[in-house]
Amino acid sequence: MAARGGVRAMLDRLRSPRSLLAIAALAALLGAGWLGFGALQAQTGAQSAPVRLQRYREGSAAFGRGDYAAARKQLEGLVYPPLAERLSLLVALSRGEGRRWIAEHPKSNLIPEALAHLSRQGERAALGELLRRYPDHPRSREAIEAALVATPDDRTLIAHLVRYFPESTLAYAMARRWEKLGGLSPIQWQAVAEVYRPVDPTRALQALGRAPMSAESLFARAQVLKRLGRKPEALALLEQLPRLYPTSPLTVDAALERAPLLPVSDALTLLTQSESAHPARGDELLWAQVQTVLKRLKAPDEALPLYRRLIAQYPQSAKAANAAWELAADAAEKGDLTEAQSRARWLIAHHPDDPFAPKAAFWLGKWAERSGATAQARRQFQSVLRQYPQSYYAWRAASRLGLVSGEYNIEALAGAVRWNQPLPPVSGVSLALAELMAIGDLDGAQKQWQAESYHRRLTPPLRLAGAQLAAQSGQYRQSINQSTLTLLASPPGDPRRWQQAYPLFFGPQLQRWSEERKLNPLLVASLIRQESRFEPAIRSRSGAVGLMQLLPSTARWIAQREPGAFDLDKVDDNLRLGTWYLRYTHERFGGSTLLALASYNAGPGNVSRWVQRTPVANPEDFIEQIPFRETRFYVVNIYENYWNYLRLYTDEGRRIAGQLPRSSG
């Protein structure tokens, strides 16, 4: 792990003669006070880093498999300051002295681990204490799942699992078992329904029918009925809710759910009346009116006064930023650049962190260019690079400034990709967590992270450490999303940290099939990041599968031209077929990456029609005129991904980054 260097340097300093007193104090603080200072001094000198690490690994592995004698042999007397508290716990548990350790460390965040271990050893009181003190802790989940395997009819344990861990792999089976055992109270039926809802809506509906009558249960039943396609019944419940519970906040949610089930005129009347009655959520209700006008009436001009009202009445709403951009774009299309610029400036001033802000900032520069204000345009493009360096519009601004190529056709890559760049060392987290990550103890690091984050406010470094651990556990989507949100909110001092948000997972396969298809590997990675966040077994609502989100029907069509058996859940097969299709779309559209990407999302037929209607001579303008909102954002997001991959993983990208105006990101 990349963090090893920083932690090792810190430990080397701690081992110096001047630091021995500090080590002793640290050991005492972390729970190693039972070690005498003389023994600590002797052992610190005798235990080299490799020996210490080997003993820790062998000892913790022995503990994990239940060989406590072997664990004690390795861990007793081991001086490892960052892991002193964890070592003292493992030694105590291997001696059968868990209760003593808990009494001596009453404020330790490792107590749930101690109680979970005692529970697995058959101490029922420890399980009860664990569930009482830490009801939703990950160690509680593990302990209760283990206990239920042994006693599957224990109603108390089932009730706790269903209530606190409805996402558990055992929860559905235990809910069914609880139902068969009988005697559930209405509140317990409510908990069972929450377990059923994601996976079995029919059973969820039955359980909700036995739950307490409330606005929440009524609304949940309506949602399940809607999901089952029983819309008249859903509508009846949604109409009933505000009559029975007029003061419930769910009356607004009921109106939002009802509107799409009503005729357009009735929907608009309902939403308007609800907005007047519930001004605190007026922006949501007004935005629903906008969507009704756009999607059902297909009347964009009728949405314009709604946009203006949204900005005037709800200027702090995130929807106001979207409305401001729509008004700016409409004004620009009609040739009123003064109005367009005014709306864009308002958006940036009032919502600088909104996703539409980089777009508004870039187009302010474009409109200045069109007005002949070259110097103003240049300043605006530089502002985009400073404020929004990771955005697609930063790439476009850099190209307008002549700093980078603005070529949209990026199927080939001129330079080499740095495939195995290490992440910078973790910082801003505990010594224990940093060391466990550095030595690659994934299980220990995850437990340490969960202990330190339980019911605590997560700092940006702790969030990033959690995201890094998620990636190491194969939870790639969670890792990328959490890293991206954290880094955008708190830009890192070391720009290499952005590799967490833009990773190159499955590098060997990605490199192989990109080279085979003569495709830019960073383009393929950019598409995968958009399609699946690198989750190999992910499924879309339309049935698309895997990294490159291929429909089985498309895969079968490809297989007729690219022979060979395939399993779309397998990384290599998915990449083999997906890169074939991406190459095919390039060839179909004359090597145009822009049209290939649009085709990958919307299909070649739609793109062919768009090309006939709208010239592609100016790609920036063409993207803005793609009629499918999803495809428009899809193309922009992939190019944004590419801009970041280029800067992170190529020498050319680093050269480009060095030329850009300095920014906080």
Side-chain angles (χ1 to χ4, degrees), residues 283-577:
D283 61 327
E284 296 176 65
L285 292 155
L286 182 51
W287 189 252
Q289 296 171 53
V290 170
Q291 298 307 302
T292 302
V293 167
L294 291 176
K295 295 179 179 179
R296 299 180 65 183
L297 287 181
K298 301 188 184 305
D301 285 345
E302 293 188 26
L304 298 178
L306 298 178
Y307 289 139
R308 295 188 189 98
R309 188 158 68 82
L310 202 155
I311 292 170
Q313 292 183 223
Y314 311 102
Q316 300 306 315
S317 168
K319 301 301 183 185
N322 195 335
W325 171 251
E326 294 297 337
L327 290 173
D330 178 74
E333 185 178 351
K334 294 173 180 175
D336 188 350
L337 293 187
T338 300
E339 172 68 8
Q341 291 169 333
S342 174
R343 293 294 184 181
R345 290 193 185 101
W346 182 92
L347 193 167
I348 297 166
H350 290 80
H351 298 274
D353 298 323
D354 189 87
F356 280 98
K359 185 174 187 176
F362 171 74
W363 279 92
L364 276 172
K366 287 270 285 187
W367 294 329
E369 276 187 336
R370 292 179 183 176
S371 302
T374 306
Q376 179 184 341
R378 186 173 184 82
R379 288 193 298 271
Q380 187 60 41
F381 291 139
Q382 290 172 338
S383 174
V384 174
L385 289 170
R386 283 193 298 271
Q387 287 185 266
Y388 309 108
Q390 279 75 40
S391 72
Y392 158 81
Y393 297 100
W395 173 45
R396 301 317 304 158
S399 72
R400 306 301 291 187
L401 292 168
L403 299 175
V404 299
S405 167
E407 178 58 57
Y408 277 86
N409 296 339
I410 54 176
E411 59 177 321
L413 180 65
V417 175
R418 295 173 173 265
W419 286 99
N420 298 308
Q421 292 186 158
L423 282 169
V426 292
S427 60
V429 299
S430 71
L431 283 174
L433 179 56
E435 179 68 4
L436 290 166
M437 294 179 70
I439 64 178
D441 184 352
L442 179 58
D443 180 67
Q446 286 181 323
K447 288 180 177 177
Q448 187 71 31
W449 187 90
Q450 290 165 344
E452 293 180 15
S453 62
Y454 182 66
H455 286 192
R456 290 179 173 87
R457 184 184 67 84
L458 296 183
T459 63
L462 200 55
R463 288 183 184 278
L464 290 172
Q468 191 170 329
L469 289 170
Q472 292 173 328
S473 303
Q475 299 171 301
Y476 302 121
R477 184 181 183 185
Q478 176 186 333
S479 175
I480 291 172
N481 290 343
Q482 184 168 317
S483 296
T484 303
L485 290 173
T486 303
L487 291 167
L488 285 173
S490 302
D494 189 335
R496 292 177 299 163
R497 181 58 62 188
W498 279 97
Q499 291 172 209
Q500 280 193 226
Y502 296 92
L504 287 175
F505 299 130
F506 311 111
Q509 301 99 312
L510 179 58
Q511 185 175 11
R512 174 194 173 190
W513 288 110
S514 297
E515 291 176 353
E516 178 81 13
R517 307 302 187 200
K518 295 181 172 56
L519 289 169
N520 182 335
L522 298 183
L523 170 63
V524 178
S526 299
L527 183 143
I528 292 172
R529 186 182 187 276
Q530 175 63 23
E531 287 281 2
S532 66
R533 291 294 198 264
F534 287 89
E535 289 283 358
I538 197 169
R539 297 288 195 279
S540 74
R541 283 179 291 183
S542 61
V545 180
L547 291 184
M548 298 190 73
Q549 285 292 278
L550 291 169
L551 289 167
S553 58
T554 303
R556 289 191 294 270
W557 181 84
I558 297 170
Q560 295 172 2
R561 294 151 181 83
E562 172 78 1
F566 65 88
D567 179 350
L568 290 180
D569 285 325
K570 292 183 178 179
V571 168
D572 203 65
D573 287 353
N574 202 287
L575 284 169
R576 177 171 67 88
L577 299 185

